[in-house]
Amino acid sequence: MSSRMTISIGMWLLATRREACVGMREPNTCSDIVIDKNQCDRSNTTLCMERCGKHDSRYLVETNKCCAHAGMSASLLAFESDEKWVPRIEEFNKCTGARVSLTYLDEGEDGMAEALIQDIGTSDESNSGDGIFDAYIVQGPWIPDVQGGLENLSPRITAVNEYVRYQDINPASRSTVSFNGTTRALPLDTDYIALGWRQDVFKKHGLPLTPPKTIEELADLSERLNGLDHNEDGIPDWGFCLTPQVNYFMAFVAPVYQTNLRECGYEDIDCTKGKQTGQNIFFDTDNFQPLVRLPGFEYAFKQYWRLIRSSNCQDQLPRGVKCSRKTAFPTGRCAGVISMPGTMNNLLLDGGKFAVKPRKDPNNSTNVWRAGWNLEKGEYWGRRAVFPGSRKVQQWVGGTSLVDCDQNTCPHAKDNVNYAPFFSEGGEAYALNGRQSKQTSKDVMFDLFTWLAELPITKLPLSGQYRKSQLNEKSGKVLLDDGWPQVMVDDLFNVLGEYFKDEDEGGNPVQDLLMVGFSKYMDVLDNELHDKLLLNSIENNGFFNLKQPNSSIDCEKDSEYFNRRFQDFVTNVETRYNKITDEQISGGRIGQLQRWRQSLNLPWRSPTEICIILLENVDHESFKNINCAAIVDFKQLCQSIPEAIERYEPNVCAVPGRGGIIAAIVIASVLGALLIGLLIYYGYNRLALFRRISARHERLMEETIDESLRSVSQLEFPLHLVKRADFIKEGMLQRHEIMRDQHKLLVIDSLAEVDNFMSQGNPVIFFSHQWTSFSQPDPSGSQYRSMVNALQQVAEQNEWDEHMDNIYVWVDFSCIPQTNPCTQNLAIRSLAAYASSAAVFIIVAPPCNHAELNTACDIETYQCRMWCRAEQVCHSMRNGTGRMFIAHDESHTLKPVDDDWFREALRVFDGDLTCCRLEHKGSVACDRQSLVIPILGLYGELYRASLESHKMGDSSVQESVKQFLNEIEKDQEAIFPRSFEMTHWRSQKRVTETVMLFGDLIERMKVRIEQGGEVSDKDSTTVKSSVIPSGFVRHGVTHGMATPMVNMKVETAIGKMDMEDIEFMNHKV
């Protein structure tokens, strides 16, 4: 970013922007105008059809957008110009009457990330941003910094999906703009790295007419073709051309590093269904160390340097000219090229902006040579191919060597070549300013986006093929009609056919660094790789010999120099990456590691879990770098992983004071007078220790209460709902990801919005059920049929018949992510909020058999499940049982929940859990612990309702709440168990220990509520009491004194303590 961008974008952009503003009356100005009826008359159907039906599009015509935005203005910020923008915006404005202005950022792509932050504000600063623009052209890596300020487009796309056809867009592009189940931009392009090769050059020099299969073959071929004459001018030409960029370098790393996204072969599970491997090309997923010190990285580096050494750079750099494929390729001196798709079209298509230009006779201007003169009819000179793979790959399991690609190391390989297309930056997408922009302006811009989504590729600015449906004969004909040769169309579709494959089709797409800090990391790599090394002169410790380019550094012949400078390079990258992470990124390495794992769809890890894994892997250096010593409690870890702790810091797990006691005995035998002094000293230390442990325990408990109070007023993951009509239309319980991609999910981001949504006459029905298969929730369909019948009964009972379209459904399989474990975990942590927010709660448990176990599944087995009980309690604590029903027999008749049933459901923590049945193998916690915070928070809200209704004298609420509290009080120790026995495996040993669950948190919550009930952290948002509906039902609580706890580990959602500390606190000093 230049220094000019340090001033307010609101001032700077207005002063320096280049505008392409088009209106119906004043096409060359940006002043406000109003379109009157004479200029825009929607009653003139002939004119409307003419203006709104351009390019065989349907959206503007069929949704009556003619003159719909007359007099309304909206602004779009873009980073790259395209000649198609002006005619498209002009056509849209003439149809709708809108006045859309387009601004190009002078800084271009390099400045757009910072421009977005300055105009929208960062994700975590809701009041920041200048708000000059209503919409933006964005790329994937820029979105994480600002996604909180971009409007969630999911509801809009759902409403117009007939025209947008979102699920038709390739998976890589959709994934790029998706955050926590919401869509923050509409992709109308995709970016990837591909290879261009000249068939005429290959034929001229007697080479096989096939592109290189591997990056090593690419480097070999480039060196072989370097120095030969390709364009008949008698001058030695080059191998493959490129513009040295970080994304092209990472395309070399990709097939060496990423061999498979999922584990294969274990328990007869194939490679598309195993758990994620975490393979990527940027950072280690255990410690966030840059992946630059592995032999695979050096191997890719060498091939990349060999290509640069034999490329156009050898001629352009010594002349002081930028090393650029765009200026080199038109000369005809390149044997091939590496490029992104949009530029590739202009490189390979005759007449393209950067295509090979004919060489003319200077005397008469006739062509004396042109590309493809030596080819037969039906052949074409400009060919496209998938980017080469690799026969050498990085070993990830059982070592870190560079190994040959085979069936085991590369399960998706073709002829022992691992292909891994790199989707660099994700392509252009269209986003709305969700913070400062007016609703009318956003409506204008989204109508423009939707219309553009309909248009053929040849009419779209800044776009190439990005849809699966565009790889067909009809789409091919569009390209043919636009002047593409058949060979070029076939090549494009072959490449995209491979690149657009889903994972279960053998696809192995490589993700770019889609996370906060992208530009900072990439700037460092570009500077160290190109500026300081590969494009730098030998005199300045670089690799290029600018005086004699053919004498530039050779990886093998100049191995000593190469090895030294390469090690300097990786050290500098590593150091600067870590400096960015530690000093410029919120949350440091721990925060970035969690973000990166989430971006790769890996299971969520808490900071403590991250640090424990580092200790168990004996990665002590990373343990120190991440500052894990400030995160974990060594005393507590001595109880669970003593061997790992002792390896890190010997004697830290030794019993404290033992040496002092022995010394005291020895000294006392010699000099009894010292015994009194030692006892005093020992007593003082015990008192100090007691105070420290007490303070820590107190802080831990209060933080847990704080978190529980917050949990009832916020969602960690948006609430996803299915419209009743869509739910019935599916004919079965449908997977979340399918419903999401078809835009059949309504997404609500906060509890306040949920309340507002329901208050507008949109009831939510919560279906609680058990899964009757290990892989599918309802393989027999019996539960689904009960749900459909229940919807009809509820509508009739509540006289909702006239508002059937406003009924929404929540059911786990459709409304909780099933593929991404990170977002799934966030949704599960919000389950209590989902259940407590529903208007009607229906238990669905018709009799059927478990698909695999062939055991009965019915209402009794349902009630045995802890999660089923938890959903019931979470709903009833906030809403009572008045709208809780059971559908459990073949008649499908809804029955109200009775008192006996509810009393059993209250004993949530007596329910069965799969994690306990498996003895917590592969997990560090029990699902019981995840429910403490939400249930504690709901209890606090209930207790607050009791106090407030008493103060206000509301007898109806007071009596119902009192009854509920009395039910809890009768069996409080079972309903809120202070601890539980947890069996798990540690170092291949079966261990059973007592783990704290609620402890004295109920007593503490009562005290907090009686004192006002606010979150104790003065910097936190105050949690206010909820509105308790009339007729709230029965609640209650009173507690006895805590019983003594022995051999117990204290563990909450906030932190941990071991029982030795608790026991110490129970003794007098």
Side-chain angles (χ1 to χ4, degrees):
M1 207 69 183
S2 73
S3 58
R4 288 185 298 175
M5 285 299 293
T6 60
I7 65 173
S8 168
I9 193 170
M11 297 172 58
W12 178 80
L13 280 173
L14 293 176
T16 63
R17 67 187 187 178
R18 303 192 309 277
E19 296 175 327
C21 303
V22 287
M24 293 179 59
R25 193 164 68 184
E26 298 175 346
N28 298 316
T29 69
C30 286
S31 59
D32 291 331
I33 60 174
V34 177
I35 307 299
D36 59 36
K37 286 290 183 181
N38 293 328
Q39 293 174 299
C40 194
D41 183 1
R42 66 168 60 199
S43 65
N44 188 338
T45 55
T46 302
L47 186 60
C48 283
M49 282 294 298
E50 177 187 336
R51 290 179 171 178
C52 299
K54 295 285 187 181
H55 317 298
D56 297 322
S57 61
R58 299 183 300 121
Y59 174 67
L60 298 178
V61 174
E62 293 179 0
T63 57
N64 298 316
K65 298 298 180 181
C66 182
C67 301
H69 301 305
M72 299 178 186
S73 62
S75 56
L76 173 66
L77 178 63
F79 59 88
E80 183 178 355
S81 63
D82 189 298
E83 61 185 11
K84 298 171 186 174
W85 269 122
V86 170
R88 294 299 84 80
I89 292 179
E90 186 175 40
E91 289 165 354
F92 177 80
N93 285 354
K94 284 182 177 180
C95 167
T96 65
R99 185 178 167 280
V100 174
S101 64
L102 170 67
T103 298
Y104 293 131
L105 186 69
D106 268 0
E107 297 288 343
E109 185 175 347
D110 294 338
M112 192 64 179
E114 184 64 26
L116 286 170
I117 292 174
Q118 292 196 35
D119 197 52
I120 306 171
T122 59
S123 290
D124 53 357
E125 295 180 9
S126 59
N127 294 323
S128 58
D130 294 328
I132 301 298
F133 298 97
D134 302 304
Y136 314 89
I137 308 300
V138 299
Q139 291 185 345
W142 308 334
I143 298 178
D145 282 323
V146 297
Q147 59 93 9
L150 298 177
E151 179 170 315
N152 172 22
L153 299 184
S154 297
R156 290 182 181 269
I157 294 174
T158 300
V160 296
N161 200 37
E162 176 185 353
Y163 306 98
V164 172
R165 295 173 295 124
Y166 191 73
Q167 61 272 20
D168 182 45
I169 298 172
N170 76 84
S173 293
R174 297 201 312 265
S175 176
T176 298
V177 299
S178 178
F179 290 83
N180 288 339
T182 64
T183 302
R184 298 293 167 171
L186 177 62
L188 296 184
D189 180 40
T190 190
D191 274 342
Y192 51 84
I193 311 299
L195 184 74
W197 61 285
R198 284 181 52 191
Q199 184 168 328
D200 59 334
V201 171
F202 278 43
K203 187 173 185 178
K204 172 179 170 59
H205 300 302
L207 298 174
L209 301 183
T210 56
K213 293 182 177 180
T214 70
I215 56 174
E216 188 164 4
E217 289 178 9
L218 174 60
D220 290 341
L221 192 59
S222 186
E223 290 176 340
R224 180 176 176 180
L225 290 168
N226 183 44
L228 302 180
D229 181 12
H230 307 326
N231 59 359
E232 304 288 353
D233 63 355
I235 301 174
D237 296 319
W238 315 308
F240 280 71
C241 292
L242 78 164
T243 305
Q245 297 175 172
V246 168
N247 53 353
Y248 297 149
F249 169 63
M250 298 313 295
F252 278 74
V253 177
V256 183
Y257 268 15
Q258 185 166 297
T259 54
N260 198 34
L261 294 171
R262 297 187 181 264
E263 292 181 353
C264 305
Y266 72 101
E267 298 179 358
D268 298 324
I269 297 178
D270 65 39
C271 303
T272 66
K273 297 180 181 177
K275 63 182 181 180
Q276 294 90 341
T277 61
Q279 289 182 8
N280 70 92
I281 62 176
F282 295 103
F283 290 96
D284 189 288
T285 56
D286 284 333
N287 55 26
F288 204 67
Q289 276 296 108
L291 296 175
V292 296
R293 290 194 179 276
L294 296 171
F297 189 80
E298 181 175 348
Y299 175 75
F301 176 94
K302 286 180 178 179
Q303 312 316 315
Y304 181 67
W305 164 238
R306 289 175 61 197
L307 186 82
I308 289 180
R309 194 172 183 266
S310 57
S311 74
N312 49 303
C313 297
Q314 63 184 304
D315 177 79
Q316 292 177 317
L317 286 178
R319 293 190 288 111
V321 177
K322 178 184 177 181
C323 184
S324 169
R325 70 198 185 285
K326 293 181 179 179
T327 56
F329 201 78
T331 66
R333 301 183 63 188
C334 302
V337 66
I338 297 172
S339 187
M340 304 279 268
T343 303
M344 185 73 82
N345 295 341
N346 280 308
L347 290 164
L348 301 183
L349 181 63
D350 269 332
K353 185 176 181 179
F354 309 116
V356 175
K357 302 295 188 290
R359 188 161 52 82
K360 298 181 180 295
D361 187 320
N363 298 318
N364 54 27
S365 298
T366 59
N367 291 340
V368 296
W369 174 89
R370 66 172 176 80
W373 268 19
N374 59 335
L375 298 181
E376 304 293 332
K377 183 178 180 180
E379 296 180 324
Y380 186 69
W381 63 270
R383 304 296 303 275
R384 187 187 317 237
V386 299
F387 195 81
S390 180
R391 297 187 191 276
K392 298 285 186 181
V393 294
Q394 178 64 48
Q395 182 183 20
W396 297 108
V397 179
T400 57
S401 303
L402 190 67
V403 297
D404 291 330
C405 182
D406 57 31
Q407 186 176 2
N408 294 322
T409 56
C410 310
H412 295 309
K414 297 179 180 179
D415 298 325
N416 291 331
V417 176
N418 182 58
Y419 293 95
F422 180 46
F423 281 81
S424 173
E425 301 181 356
E428 279 70 40
Y430 296 56
L432 296 179
N433 184 334
R435 282 196 176 135
Q436 303 95 342
S437 182
K438 295 184 298 184
Q439 187 65 40
T440 53
S441 297
K442 291 188 293 185
D443 292 344
V444 169
M445 292 311 305
F446 192 74
D447 279 344
L448 172 62
F449 297 169
T450 304
W451 177 62
L452 291 174
E454 273 195 301
L455 300 186
I457 286 297
T458 54
K459 303 300 179 183
L460 270 181
L462 304 174
S463 185
Q465 278 68 20
Y466 65 99
R467 295 181 179 273
K468 292 183 177 181
S469 65
Q470 291 165 347
L471 311 182
N472 57 28
E473 184 176 350
K474 180 179 179 181
S475 298
K477 187 177 183 305
V478 173
L479 296 175
L480 292 173
D481 292 343
D482 208 47
W484 285 44
Q486 184 66 55
V487 172
M488 194 169 168
V489 173
D490 293 342
D491 282 349
L492 174 65
F493 285 7
N494 287 335
V495 170
L496 295 184
E498 291 296 321
Y499 281 25
F500 287 0
K501 281 183 178 178
D502 289 314
E503 196 174 321
D504 57 0
E505 297 172 321
N508 187 30
V510 179
Q511 176 181 303
D512 208 339
L513 188 66
L514 304 179
M515 66 183 303
V516 174
F518 166 83
S519 60
K520 294 182 174 67
Y521 294 121
M522 294 302 97
D523 286 347
V524 164
L525 182 56
D526 186 37
N527 178 249
E528 294 292 342
L529 176 67
H530 296 122
D531 298 342
K532 292 185 177 181
L533 194 60
L534 298 186
L535 305 185
N536 197 13
S537 67
I538 293 177
E539 291 80 5
N540 292 322
N541 292 319
F543 274 21
F544 240 107
N545 188 325
L546 297 180
K547 297 177 180 178
Q548 294 181 306
N550 59 354
S551 297
S552 296
I553 296 300
D554 184 284
C555 303
E556 306 303 327
K557 295 179 182 179
D558 305 304
S559 58
E560 182 177 349
Y561 181 88
F562 171 85
N563 291 334
R564 176 170 58 82
R565 290 297 295 122
F566 178 77
Q567 290 305 316
D568 291 342
F569 158 66
V570 296
T571 297
N572 291 343
V573 170
E574 196 173 52
T575 300
R576 293 179 65 183
Y577 271 15
N578 290 337
K579 186 177 178 65
I580 289 171
T581 305
D582 294 337
E583 298 179 6
Q584 301 181 39
I585 305 296
S586 174
R589 297 194 202 188
I590 285 280
Q592 281 293 72
L593 177 55
Q594 291 174 315
R595 296 184 189 103
W596 187 224
R597 289 180 62 84
Q598 187 172 10
S599 179
L600 295 172
N601 293 332
L602 295 176
W604 174 264
R605 286 179 184 169
S606 68
T608 299
E609 288 175 316
I610 289 171
C611 293
I612 288 175
I613 290 172
L614 292 177
L615 285 175
E616 292 180 331
N617 292 340
V618 199
D619 188 356
H620 295 164
E621 182 178 358
S622 296
F623 188 87
K624 293 177 181 177
N625 291 338
I626 293 179
N627 196 24
C628 280
I631 296 172
V632 302
D633 185 334
F634 284 108
K635 285 282 292 179
Q636 190 277 326
L637 292 181
C638 283
Q639 305 298 314
S640 56
I641 52 170
E643 298 87 355
I645 295 295
E646 287 294 322
R647 283 195 297 266
Y648 175 73
E649 188 171 338
N651 300 321
V652 73
C653 292
V655 178
R658 182 176 295 172
I661 294 173
I662 295 174
I665 294 173
V666 174
I667 295 173
S669 65
V670 178
L671 190 60
L674 289 179
L675 179 58
I676 297 175
L678 286 172
L679 289 174
I680 294 173
Y681 177 74
Y682 176 74
Y684 176 80
N685 281 343
R686 295 278 287 182
L687 177 60
L689 179 59
F690 173 77
R691 289 174 174 171
R692 288 198 302 271
I693 294 175
S694 297
R696 185 170 59 188
H697 176 74
E698 190 70 20
R699 184 171 62 252
L700 178 63
M701 296 299 102
E702 292 305 309
E703 287 174 352
T704 302
I705 292 176
D706 286 345
E707 189 67 21
S708 71
L709 290 172
R710 293 190 190 98
S711 72
V712 298
S713 61
Q714 62 187 25
L715 292 175
E716 294 199 46
F717 185 80
L719 173 65
H720 289 64
L721 300 172
V722 185
K723 209 167 190 176
R724 170 194 165 278
D726 289 332
F727 180 78
I728 294 175
K729 187 177 180 181
E730 288 298 318
M732 60 183 292
L733 293 183
Q734 190 60 272
R735 178 181 289 273
H736 171 85
E737 286 72 21
I738 294 176
M739 299 294 283
R740 178 198 64 195
D741 291 347
Q742 293 178 353
H743 281 271
K744 293 181 179 179
L745 292 175
L746 174 72
V747 182
I748 306 179
D749 293 312
S750 71
L751 287 175
E753 292 175 1
V754 173
D755 293 339
N756 182 57
F757 176 75
M758 292 179 63
S759 69
Q760 295 175 4
N762 301 297
V764 175
I765 314 299
F766 187 104
F767 284 125
S768 178
H769 71 114
Q770 61 186 320
W771 281 41
T772 57
S773 168
F774 293 132
S775 58
Q776 292 291 324
D778 181 34
S780 69
S782 61
Q783 296 187 72
Y784 171 77
R785 291 190 292 273
S786 288
M787 293 175 188
V788 172
N789 187 276
L791 281 173
Q792 183 64 34
Q793 291 187 58
V794 168
E796 292 174 357
Q797 291 174 8
N798 293 276
E799 298 181 352
W800 291 340
D801 302 64
E802 296 181 0
H803 306 283
M804 298 291 270
D805 290 342
N806 295 335
I807 300 174
Y808 288 81
V809 169
W810 189 98
V811 63
D812 55 0
F813 193 54
S814 298
C815 300
I816 286 182
Q818 302 297 314
T819 302
N820 185 329
C822 300
T823 53
Q824 184 182 67
N825 183 58
L826 290 174
I828 290 174
R829 287 161 60 178
S830 301
L831 192 58
Y834 300 159
S836 64
S837 299
V840 179
F841 186 99
I842 301 177
I843 297 164
V844 180
C848 62
N849 285 339
H850 193 280
E852 287 84 18
L853 301 177
N854 200 32
T855 55
C857 294
D858 51 26
I859 192 64
E860 293 184 2
T861 58
Y862 166 89
Q863 188 69 325
C864 289
R865 300 296 297 165
M866 190 199 79
W867 282 109
C868 295
R869 295 184 180 191
E871 291 171 355
Q872 298 174 61
V873 170
C874 290
H875 177 82
S876 61
M877 273 193 170
R878 179 172 272 175
N879 304 281
T881 59
R883 289 199 169 190
M884 294 180 67
F885 302 94
I886 302 175
H888 66 93
D889 56 32
E890 294 182 359
S891 70
H892 303 298
T893 302
L894 292 182
K895 299 177 181 178
V897 169
D898 59 32
D899 291 344
D900 290 338
W901 173 272
F902 178 68
R903 290 189 187 96
E904 185 177 5
L906 274 175
R907 298 172 66 109
V908 173
F909 296 92
D910 286 347
D912 297 334
L913 283 169
T914 301
C915 65
C916 294
R917 179 170 58 83
L918 299 177
E919 297 186 334
H920 305 94
K921 293 178 180 177
S923 61
V924 297
C926 177
D927 283 350
R928 282 181 173 82
Q929 296 163 278
S930 65
L931 279 173
V932 169
I933 280 180
I935 289 183
L936 178 64
L938 287 170
Y939 173 79
E941 191 175 69
L942 178 64
Y943 190 68
R944 186 201 308 273
S946 174
L947 295 181
E948 292 184 353
S949 63
H950 178 73
K951 291 178 182 178
M952 293 185 296
D954 189 336
S955 59
S956 61
V957 174
Q958 183 178 353
E959 182 60 27
S960 61
V961 171
K962 182 179 179 181
Q963 291 176 6
F964 207 120
L965 291 173
N966 287 339
E967 289 293 335
I968 294 176
E969 186 180 69
K970 291 175 184 177
D971 206 7
Q972 181 180 307
E973 294 299 322
I975 294 172
F976 300 122
R978 297 179 180 275
S979 62
F980 73 103
E981 298 297 310
M982 178 176 171
T983 299
H984 58 112
W985 289 76
R986 183 188 305 142
S987 301
Q988 298 184 340
K989 294 180 181 179
R990 188 174 185 270
V991 179
T992 299
E993 57 189 354
T994 303
V995 176
M996 190 185 100
L997 206 58
F998 282 91
D1000 63 350
L1001 287 169
I1002 295 298
E1003 288 85 356
R1004 289 174 177 271
M1005 176 61 79
K1006 289 178 65 179
V1007 172
R1008 176 72 71 83
I1009 296 301
E1010 290 166 357
Q1011 293 175 349
E1014 295 184 354
V1015 175
S1016 59
D1017 185 352
K1018 65 182 180 180
D1019 294 325
S1020 300
T1021 301
T1022 299
V1023 176
K1024 301 184 182 297
S1025 61
S1026 299
V1027 177
I1028 308 300
S1030 178
F1032 188 77
V1033 199
R1034 7 198 191 283
H1035 299 289
V1037 73
T1038 304
H1039 308 298
M1041 295 298 293
T1043 55
M1045 299 177 288
V1046 294
N1047 299 324
M1048 183 188 298
K1049 180 168 60 178
V1050 177
E1051 184 172 336
T1052 76
I1054 302 296
K1056 302 177 180 179
M1057 294 180 66
D1058 59 64
M1059 193 52 222
E1060 185 177 344
D1061 289 344
I1062 302 299
E1063 286 182 343
F1064 184 92
M1065 292 167 61
N1066 290 332
H1067 289 285
K1068 294 181 179 180
V1069 178

